[in-house]
């Protein structure tokens, strides 16, 4: 047990806790303002919602993972996931 790698603790400088930094933290925590969903490939703003892996429960489709696809790209045979 002599060749164990040694770990050195490096003392990093802590983030400054100035009033400015506190405001920055608060702003980062805030929800982002709503923005228009736009396709990063074609610039289209029309989306289609799909669901992957839905379950049929009591004759009703439930659950699944929701995904937004660009409808314009989808028509061209491309599957561009927007969120
Ligand atoms: Zn698109």
């Amino acid at each position: 047990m002599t060749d164990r790698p040694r770990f050195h603790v490096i003392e990093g400088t802590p983030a400054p806790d100035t009033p400015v930094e506190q405001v920055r933290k608060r702003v980062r925590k805030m929800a982002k303002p709503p923005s228009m969903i736009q396709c990063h490939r074609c610039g289209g703003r029309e989306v289609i919602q799909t669901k992957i892996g839905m379950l049929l429960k009591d004759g009703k489709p439930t659950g699944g993972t929701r995904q937004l696809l660009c409808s314009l790209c989808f028509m061209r045979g491309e599957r561009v996931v927007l969120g």
Side-chain angles (χ1 to χ4, degrees), residues 29-50:
K29 267 186 200 169
M30 277 183 347
K32 287 181 187 165
S35 59
M36 184 86 71
I37 293 177
Q38 195 167 14
C39 176
H40 49 83
R41 183 171 289 186
C42 73
R45 286 184 168 151
E46 189 179 358
V47 299
I48 29 178
Q49 194 182 82
T50 62

Side-chain angles (χ1 to χ4, degrees), residues 28-77:
R28 258 179 253 142
K29 267 186 200 169
M30 277 183 347
K32 287 181 187 165
S35 59
M36 184 86 71
I37 293 177
Q38 195 167 14
C39 176
H40 49 83
R41 183 171 289 186
C42 73
R45 286 184 168 151
E46 189 179 358
V47 299
I48 29 178
Q49 194 182 82
T50 62
K51 288 202 174 182
I52 302 166
M54 293 189 80
L55 300 171
L56 195 64
K57 202 174 179 182
D58 299 327
K60 280 184 182 175
T62 56
T65 306
R66 185 189 66 107
Q67 276 202 315
L68 293 176
L69 307 176
C70 173
S71 69
L72 297 170
C73 285
F74 197 74
M75 281 197 300
R76 293 185 204 136

Side-chain angles (χ1 to χ4, degrees), residues 5-44:
R6 289 195 195 137
F7 294 100
H8 297 281
V9 177
I10 299 162
E11 278 186 38
T13 41
D17 205 24
T18 58
V20 176
E21 187 61 29
Q22 283 171 9
V23 170
R24 282 192 192 132
K25 274 183 194 164
R26 208 174 65 218
V27 170
R28 258 179 253 142
K29 267 186 200 169
M30 277 183 347
K32 287 181 187 165
S35 59
M36 184 86 71
I37 293 177
Q38 195 167 14
C39 176
H40 49 83
R41 183 171 289 186
C42 73

